[in-house]
Structures are given as structure tokens and as C-alpha cells.
Amino acid sequence: MSIDFKNIHIGELIHQCVHESSVDIDRICSFMKQGEEEIHKMYTAESMETAVLLRWSKLLEYDFFRIYTQHLILYAPPSSAGYNMVTDNKNSQLPKFRKNIYTKEMIYFILETIEKGEKTTLQVIKEYGIPKSTLFRWIKKYNR
């Protein structure tokens, strides 16, 4: 299954993960402390509370939050003049993260958009801020 990082429907992704991992519904209900009907409603939810998503991540041993991180890497507007209000603040107690960490799923997603002709390499470089050398290295390495 190819993940659409632009339009995330977390319930569908959870349902897919449950299907692939063959977790029993009784175990899910017990772990989530919800009835079967509530679990099925979650499968149709486009979004959900972080505490609930964290429980799903633990149960299914899959980091669903990373899907949102990948969305930010691909679609968040670049900060103006390279300035980030939080991470550039020397007094901030928040952890600092590197932005350009690409997972294989993201690389495949980007390369798939090029292969299908949805975007050109130049469009990918401009839209996602991926260095030209990095993109061409991916194309050479992951050419299927």
C-alpha cells in the first residue's frame, strides 16, 4: 500500500495495519479499552486524539506519528529566511529535530510521483526542497 502523505486518513491506515498484522479484535478491544463498535468507528476516523494514536502505535508496534512527520517534511512551507521561531530560540526547552530525514517510504513516494509523471525532477526539487544530488542519488540507488 502506498501512503498518501498529503491526505492522511489515519483510521484507514490503522485498519490496514490491523489487517496486515492479523491482531485479534478481542485483543484490540482489551488493549484499547473500547468496544468493537468504537474500534470500527476509529477505522473510519480521518483523525484522532494523540493519546489514542499512541495506544494504536504501541499495540500494532508501528509509529503512526511518523506519517505526520513525513507530511511536515514534504508539505510544510519553508521557514522565512531560514529562521524557525522555536528551534532558533536558544532558550527553548523543546527538543530540536533535523528536518530532512527521509524514510524509505518517503523516498519511494517521491520516486513514484516522478515515475508516474505526476511531477518532474525539477518540481520535486523545488516543492520539497530536496537537494538535486540527493534526488539523483535516490533515483540511481532505488531505480526499480
Side-chain angles (χ1 to χ4, degrees), residues 21-34 39 55-56 58-61:
S21 61
S22 301
V23 178
D24 186 61
I25 188 68
D26 292 333
R27 180 166 182 241
I28 294 170
C29 291
S30 175
F31 189 87
M32 298 299 290
K33 298 180 176 124
Q34 298 285 328
I39 298 299
R55 290 191 67 78
W56 277 112
K58 289 177 180 180
L59 173 67
L60 299 173
E61 298 176 3

Side-chain angles (χ1 to χ4, degrees), residues 9-137:
H9 190 295
I10 200 65
E12 288 178 358
L13 296 172
I14 289 170
H15 190 235
Q16 178 69 32
C17 193
V18 166
H19 176 74
E20 289 176 5
S21 61
S22 301
V23 178
D24 186 61
I25 188 68
D26 292 333
R27 180 166 182 241
I28 294 170
C29 291
S30 175
F31 189 87
M32 298 299 290
K33 298 180 176 124
Q34 298 285 328
E36 197 170 329
E37 187 176 326
E38 288 81 13
I39 298 299
H40 287 288
K41 282 183 186 175
M42 286 186 211
Y43 295 156
T44 63
E46 193 170 326
S47 63
M48 60 184 60
E49 292 184 18
T50 55
V52 175
L53 190 58
L54 181 61
R55 290 191 67 78
W56 277 112
S57 293
K58 289 177 180 180
L59 173 67
L60 299 173
E61 298 176 3
Y62 184 86
D63 185 358
F64 289 102
F65 293 97
R66 188 163 298 204
I67 295 166
Y68 292 102
T69 303
Q70 304 307 330
H71 172 90
L72 289 174
I73 290 170
L74 290 171
Y75 299 105
S79 55
S80 60
Y83 177 76
N84 183 304
M85 293 187 297
V86 175
T87 58
D88 288 348
N89 179 355
K90 304 295 182 215
N91 299 323
S92 176
Q93 297 298 309
L94 295 172
K96 293 170 181 50
F97 302 104
R98 288 181 44 206
K99 183 176 180 188
N100 296 329
I101 298 176
Y102 300 97
T103 64
K104 282 190 178 181
E105 292 84 6
M106 274 193 61
I107 293 169
Y108 291 142
F109 170 78
I110 291 166
L111 294 178
E112 189 177 288
T113 61
I114 294 170
E115 288 171 12
K116 287 182 176 178
E118 295 170 5
K119 292 185 189 324
T120 66
T121 54
L122 188 59
Q123 287 174 313
V124 167
I125 291 166
K126 285 183 179 179
E127 283 184 43
Y128 302 140
I130 298 169
K132 184 178 180 179
S133 59
T134 301
L135 181 60
F136 285 106
R137 193 173 334 114

